[in-house]
Amino acid sequence: MHCFESGDTLIYADNAATTKISDNALKQMLPFLQKQYGNPSSQYSLGVKAKRAIEEARQRVSMALGALPSEIIFTSGGSESNSWVLSSVTNGHVITSSIEHHSVLNACHALEHKGIEVTYLPVDSKGRVSLDRLKEAIRSETKLVSIMLANNEIGTIQPIAKIGEYLHERNILFHTDAVQAVGHIPVHVKQLSVDFLTASSHKFNGAKGTGILYKRNGVLLPPLIFGGAQEEGTRAGTENVAGIVAAGYAINESVANMTAMADKLLVMIQKTISGIRSKIPNFIVNGDENNRLPGIVNIVFDGVAGDSLMHLLDLKGICVSTSSACVSGKDQPSHVLMALGLTEQQAKSAIRISYGRYNNLDEVETIVANICHAYDKIIAAKKY
Amino acid sequence: MKQIEYVNCFSCGKKQLSKDEVALNKKMIGREIKQFYCLKCFAEYFDVTTEELLIKIQEFKEQGCALF
């Protein structure tokens, strides 16, 4: 059945794109859309209750990240958090990596338009940033370094704690985009020595439209949005109370189940790879197999376009993603995969499978069988 | 559907495949292919229905895919 025609038969294996909200997070947020709809800035009880719910969520999020509640700012999403931090740089030099999310890369391009120099660090074939290359890139005028904690396409985890320690000793501000990591692997802001950290609720079974920005106390960050005194005057705009409440419960659940979930996801990834290997000899697994997010695998299939495979799987009710983007009928290779040193053809032949809380081993078998079937069919059709 | 001249289904021989049929083959099998299935043969080959393919074609158009 078609992906969008039948929810019952849908197999969703694109959890790096977004996740289904958990039952409990949904249950906890719903009252704040109707019965408890007060504005948190209002002084009467309805508003006070809404404000209290936000502060409880802030407490939950701060506990999960090893931060203080006063260091947590709620935003509209990961892109706002990333853009806010990057756009705060007004002069000097910024360092980032070549495989960041576009919300970081495009913010850096905007800085360059303002005359601020940006260094884009290369990565190795597994997608790892080198601390030595970072050290070489640092200048006396370097104001900010922004390196993602884990990559959204290949799952490679960066040595953030080592980078943070080095930068902290030199008083250089350090931001990490942890959107893919929070809720999936242990993230402790003090252990990472970061000044800023970005997270997004819908990546850990919360609701869309709720971002998190950790800002270390004492670090200055001018407002991005002007208006009222919400979020202690740092981020104006009436709060997304329901989404924030969901974020608090979702992050609690994710952290509480993290170890067991990681074990389950690793088994699913291993079975996916071994299952495909038993039928298809020629494929490449991208990323760092020894230091990767537990639920993500990025695979290059020789001779088959990633988007062809993705759409054929979609017709079978299976949602995975391709790294390339179709622009005017021509697929553009992923900047991440190109940075690994893949050829353009290889980069266009990749799909990403990302498992989450609601996937199971039966679904893995179905996915593997359908990938192998679609691959064989495409290869055979191309021979005519 | 717009007609493209001289492109026939290599499986059943159906004459003059539509632009959408040709685009679907390119999108789902490969841009470089020279032989094309008609919608019915494509559906049979990949074990899907023609209705599902028509929904897909509509989605590709909504996404702005210039092949269609």
Side-chain angles (χ1 to χ4, degrees):
Chain A
M1 291 294 290
H2 189 270
C3 179
F4 300 110
E5 293 300 300
S6 173
D8 293 335
T9 57
L10 181 76
I11 296 178
Y12 186 78
D14 197 17
N15 287 271
T18 192
T19 58
K20 176 181 170 183
I21 189 168
S22 79
D23 291 343
N24 190 43
L26 178 63
K27 178 185 166 192
Q28 299 294 341
M29 78 183 284
L30 283 176
F32 294 93
L33 295 171
Q34 284 197 314
K35 194 176 178 185
Q36 300 283 344
Y37 59 87
N39 186 323
S41 297
S42 298
Q43 302 297 303
Y44 39 78
S45 289
L46 194 67
V48 171
K49 285 175 184 170
K51 178 72 173 169
R52 194 177 293 150
I54 289 174
E55 295 316 314
E56 287 174 4
R58 200 185 311 279
Q59 183 77 31
R60 290 188 173 92
V61 171
S62 66
M63 288 277 287
L65 299 178
L68 296 169
S70 58
E71 295 175 315
I72 300 299
I73 305 168
F74 291 112
T75 67
S76 66
S79 292
E80 181 189 326
S81 299
N82 286 341
S83 298
W84 188 1
V85 174
L86 269 297
S87 66
S88 70
V89 180
T90 55
N91 58 58
H93 172 237
V94 169
I95 299 172
T96 190
S97 86
S98 55
I99 62 166
E100 298 294 311
H101 187 267
H102 280 113
S103 57
V104 167
L105 291 178
N106 287 342
C108 286
H109 297 330
L111 291 178
E112 289 180 293
H113 283 297
K114 293 179 183 172
I116 295 164
E117 283 195 73
V118 180
T119 298
Y120 300 90
L121 294 174
V123 294
D124 66 13
S125 62
K126 294 180 185 295
R128 297 175 297 201
V129 170
S130 158
L131 181 57
D132 289 337
R133 296 292 291 265
L134 173 67
K135 290 177 181 175
E136 290 167 12
I138 287 173
R139 307 174 191 170
S140 58
E141 67 269 27
T142 302
K143 303 290 186 189
L144 177 73
V145 174
S146 180
I147 306 289
M148 67 196 331
L149 206 166
N151 184 266
N152 51 306
E153 291 188 33
I154 55 175
T156 296
I157 298 169
Q158 303 296 348
I160 296 300
K162 285 181 183 172
I163 295 171
E165 184 183 4
Y166 180 81
L167 295 174
H168 189 68
E169 290 169 357
R170 282 150 188 82
N171 290 319
I172 298 171
L173 290 174
F174 184 31
H175 165 251
T176 188
D177 173 0
V179 160
Q180 293 293 336
V182 169
H184 304 285
I185 57 173
V187 174
H188 191 290
V189 291
K190 306 302 178 194
Q191 290 172 4
L192 295 176
S193 296
V194 292
D195 298 291
F196 304 103
L197 179 142
T198 294
S200 180
S201 181
H202 76 101
K203 304 290 191 181
F204 51 81
N205 303 99
K208 294 171 186 62
T210 310
I212 294 161
L213 178 62
Y214 159 79
K215 179 181 77 66
R216 184 169 63 78
N217 277 345
V219 176
L220 294 175
L221 184 67
L224 181 70
I225 299 172
F226 296 95
Q230 291 90 354
E231 297 296 282
E232 299 298 322
T234 59
R235 198 267 183 186
T238 302
E239 299 91 334
N240 172 9
V241 183
I244 290 169
V245 168
Y249 282 95
I251 202 167
N252 260 11
E253 288 174 45
S254 296
V255 170
N257 300 317
M258 189 178 286
T259 305
M261 187 57 58
D263 290 344
K264 170 189 149 178
L265 295 175
L266 280 171
V267 170
M268 293 168 72
I269 292 294
Q270 286 165 357
K271 286 198 176 294
T272 302
I273 295 171
S274 62
I276 294 171
R277 184 165 285 132
S278 69
K279 299 275 178 60
I280 302 173
N282 299 324
F283 70 91
I284 302 167
V285 177
N286 293 311
D288 185 356
E289 66 276 16
N290 297 318
N291 204 17
R292 192 167 60 200
L293 289 173
I296 291 183
V297 64
N298 187 298
I299 304 173
V300 173
F301 291 93
D302 189 30
V304 171
D307 69 337
S308 299
L309 208 46
M310 177 192 71
H311 288 299
L312 284 170
L313 292 173
D314 186 25
L315 284 165
K316 300 295 182 182
I318 296 169
C319 300
V320 300
S321 79
T322 175
S323 296
S324 59
C326 181
V327 178
S328 300
K330 292 184 178 177
D331 52 333
Q332 304 295 315
S334 147
H335 69 287
V336 174
L337 300 186
M338 295 300 286
L340 303 184
L342 269 61
T343 65
E344 187 173 327
Q345 190 61 43
Q346 287 175 319
K348 289 177 179 175
S349 301
I351 63 166
R352 178 190 67 189
I353 301 167
S354 50
Y355 295 120
R357 182 185 303 185
Y358 299 107
N359 292 116
N360 57 53
L361 287 172
D362 288 342
E363 291 181 336
V364 171
E365 278 187 27
T366 304
I367 289 170
V368 168
N370 276 280
I371 286 174
C372 295
H373 181 70
Y375 176 87
D376 288 344
K377 285 283 187 180
I378 293 171
I379 292 292
K382 285 178 134 182
K383 286 180 180 169
Y384 293 118
Chain B
M1 291 183 179
K2 293 178 185 174
Q3 299 295 310
I4 292 177
E5 287 184 283
Y6 310 126
V7 179
N8 303 331
C9 175
F10 86 101
S11 180
C12 72
K14 179 189 168 188
K15 307 276 185 207
Q16 293 191 347
L17 299 186
S18 69
K19 183 184 178 188
D20 286 351
E21 286 174 312
V22 173
L24 184 70
N25 279 264
K26 288 186 174 182
K27 184 81 173 172
M28 306 289 259
I29 299 173
R31 268 45 165 198
E32 72 281 16
I33 59 170
K34 304 293 180 200
Q35 303 272 26
F36 301 89
Y37 288 107
C38 68
L39 197 69
K40 186 168 171 288
C41 291
F42 189 100
E44 281 178 13
Y45 183 72
F46 283 106
D47 192 25
V48 295
T49 67
T50 53
E51 290 76 17
E52 287 167 340
L53 293 176
L54 289 170
I55 291 170
K56 245 336 190 165
I57 288 169
Q58 185 58 34
E59 288 176 0
F60 289 138
K61 289 180 178 178
E62 289 173 17
Q63 290 164 356
C65 182
L67 288 172
F68 292 85

